[in-house]
């Protein structure tokens, strides 16, 4: 078998596929690319059994073939060649020969008998969404996914189709994010949980191009230009997140996002390494944020002008969680909806963007007196 391909074209293709190659695995076969040439089309696939990536380019080949090639070695070789025309040729002893104008490179390849079958997701359940909008939805919610394996459903991001729109939800029990894209509505309520690894890889792959999403009970497939990204879904029921969202938080504090975020970053320098606690002392039109590290004898306090006319409240939060939440707001002003020092706090932009609804929730922490 022989075919020619430009190194830059192949490098671009392989760079899309290599995120599916695991760093460590007890199955050496997963450390390879699957090359399939059929009717002058080269399709490259990779999988770690949780996610899979595949993409194709056109080549002129004298026969069809399937072979498994060491992924990182091939990728490093192709990247090192610069811009060159490569002639690929296979030999009967499972040798792959790559020739350029200035060099010859020999690799061993394997037969694909043990390579896992890449799942095929039915194409009947289709949703189309702009890639930039999907990336925004993911980036504004995924930071709140849980890192604890005790509740597997919370280690992923929830996609929930509803009459209100497509909801993206993530929570780790300490914070919760709900982002609704109102332009994609569904008569039926359906839930799909995408694992954290898939969310991380997907966010890096997305472009401004529209993405076609196909869903089944066990897998989801994303078509991004000429690339297909497939992920296994988490087969658990997502927690009833709506039950933890308070409805009676009548006290509203409006302030500039940047003012509070910069203050929180300084409070992180003074909060205790164990508690990571920051205290909010809220009175009429004034917010005092303070932190103290008793072990090191350091403390800090700042005041921020706000718009607040409710009852005075003293409430504590984890500084790292507050920092994460505030860092993911694009709005210049935000509103805190509060009830008491022991009830969850809701944070929303002062003005929602068109066709969007963003809500973040923070659980308070007990204040050290």
């Amino acid at each position: 078998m022989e075919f020619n391909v430009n190194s830059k074209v192949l490098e671009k293709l392989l760079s899309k596929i290599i995120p599916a190659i695991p760093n460590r695995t007890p199955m050496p076969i997963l450390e390879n690319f699957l090359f399939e040439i059929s009717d002058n089309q080269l399709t490259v696939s990779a999988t770690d059994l949780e996610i899979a990536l595949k993409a194709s380019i056109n080549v002129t080949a004298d026969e069809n073939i399937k072979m498994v090639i060491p992924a990182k070695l091939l990728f490093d070789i192709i990247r090192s060649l610069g811009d060159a025309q490569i002639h690929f040729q296979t030999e009967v002893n499972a040798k792959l020969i790559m020739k350029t104008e200035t060099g010859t490179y020999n690799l061993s390849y394997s037969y694909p008998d043990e390579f896992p079958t890449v799942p095929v997701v039915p194409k009947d359940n289709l949703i189309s969404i702009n890639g930039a909008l999907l990336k925004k939805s993911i980036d504004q919610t995924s930071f709140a996914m849980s890192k604890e394996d005790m509740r597997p459903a919370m280690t992923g991001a929830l996609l929930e189709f509803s009459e209100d729109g497509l909801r993206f939800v993530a929570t780790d029990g300490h914070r919760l994010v709900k982002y609704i894209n109102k332009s994609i509505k569904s008569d039926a309520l359906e839930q799909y949980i995408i694992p954290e690894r898939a969310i991380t890889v997907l966010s890096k792959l997305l472009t401004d191009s529209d993405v076609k999403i196909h869903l089944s009970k066990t897998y989801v497939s994303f078509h991004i230009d000429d690339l297909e990204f497939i992920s296994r879904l988490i087969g658990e029921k997502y927690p009833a997140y709506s039950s933890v969202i308070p409805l009676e938080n009548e006290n509203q504090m409006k302030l500039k996002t940047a003012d509070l975020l910069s203050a929180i970053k300084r409070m992180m320098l003074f909060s205790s390494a164990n508690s990571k606690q920051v205290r909010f002392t809220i009175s009429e039109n004034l917010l005092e944020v303070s932190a103290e590290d008793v072990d090191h004898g350091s403390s800090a306090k700042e005041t921020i002008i706000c718009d607040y006319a409710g009852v005075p409240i003293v409430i504590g939060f984890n500084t790292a969680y507050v920092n994460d939440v505030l860092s993911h707001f694009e709005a210049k002003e935000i509103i805190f909806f509060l009830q008491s020092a022991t009830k969850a706090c809701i944070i929303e932009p002062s003005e929602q963007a068109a066709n969007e609804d963003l809500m973040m929730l923070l659980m308070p922490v007990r204040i050290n007196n």
Side-chain angles (χ1 to χ4, degrees), residues 29-282:
I29 192 68
L30 301 180
E31 297 174 349
N32 296 273
F33 289 128
L34 174 63
F35 270 45
E36 300 179 76
I37 294 181
S38 178
D39 300 330
N40 292 322
Q41 186 177 62
L42 168 62
T43 300
V44 182
S45 308
T47 181
D48 64 2
L49 301 183
E50 293 297 324
I51 65 170
L53 284 160
K54 64 178 182 179
S56 302
I57 55 174
N58 293 322
V59 297
T60 301
D62 58 353
E63 63 177 291
N64 296 340
I65 192 173
K66 289 185 179 181
M67 54 185 170
V68 174
I69 306 173
K72 292 181 179 178
L73 176 58
L74 177 65
F75 186 52
D76 287 342
I77 292 171
I78 300 302
R79 285 195 301 175
S80 72
L81 293 176
D83 190 351
Q85 196 71 8
I86 309 173
H87 179 76
F88 282 78
Q89 180 179 337
T90 57
E91 299 290 344
V92 292
N93 57 349
K95 289 293 184 182
L96 177 65
I97 302 173
M98 297 181 294
K99 293 182 178 180
T100 66
E101 287 186 355
T102 58
T104 301
Y105 315 93
N106 298 329
L107 289 178
S108 294
Y109 68 87
S110 306
Y111 295 99
D113 303 349
E114 298 180 4
F115 196 85
T117 301
V118 175
V120 177
V121 183
K123 300 299 187 285
D124 48 351
N125 194 359
L126 171 65
I127 302 102
S128 183
I129 186 172
N130 176 263
L133 187 57
L134 179 58
K135 179 174 173 58
K136 179 182 179 181
S137 306
I138 289 172
D139 292 348
Q140 284 201 306
T141 55
S142 59
F143 73 92
M145 292 186 293
S146 176
K147 302 297 189 293
E148 302 292 334
D149 294 332
M150 294 294 291
R151 303 187 69 179
M154 291 168 60
T155 63
L158 173 68
L159 268 65
E160 186 175 50
F161 294 87
S162 70
E163 294 179 349
D164 299 332
L166 176 56
R167 300 172 187 161
F168 296 79
V169 181
T171 182
D172 59 5
H174 304 286
R175 55 206 167 160
L176 182 148
V177 185
K178 181 177 70 172
Y179 174 89
I180 304 177
N181 180 342
K182 296 181 178 180
S183 61
I184 301 177
K185 299 183 179 182
S186 173
D187 294 333
L189 182 65
E190 297 179 343
Q191 292 189 343
Y192 304 90
I193 307 173
I194 303 177
E196 179 186 13
R197 171 157 163 71
I199 289 291
T200 301
V201 173
L202 177 62
S203 178
K204 296 176 181 178
L205 294 172
L206 291 170
T207 65
D208 291 337
S209 301
D210 285 350
V211 180
K212 293 180 179 179
I213 308 174
H214 301 278
L215 292 149
S216 71
K217 290 183 178 180
T218 51
Y219 289 95
V220 59
S221 169
F222 300 87
H223 286 263
I224 309 165
D225 298 324
D226 59 347
L227 175 71
E228 183 178 10
F229 174 50
I230 302 165
S231 171
R232 187 188 300 274
L233 296 171
I234 296 177
E236 301 276 342
K237 184 174 178 61
Y238 204 77
Y241 65 88
S242 295
S243 64
V244 303
I245 301 175
L247 303 176
E248 64 279 359
N249 287 17
E250 67 277 2
N251 298 302
Q252 300 182 22
M253 177 178 65
K254 181 179 177 181
L255 73 171
K256 292 182 180 179
T257 311
D259 289 350
L260 181 55
L261 180 58
S262 62
I264 290 297
K265 289 185 181 300
R266 286 185 287 274
M267 293 303 119
M268 293 175 73
L269 303 174
F270 290 89
S271 60
S272 167
N274 293 325
S275 68
K276 298 181 180 178
Q277 184 184 109
V278 61
R279 181 191 298 246
F280 281 26
T281 303
I282 309 169

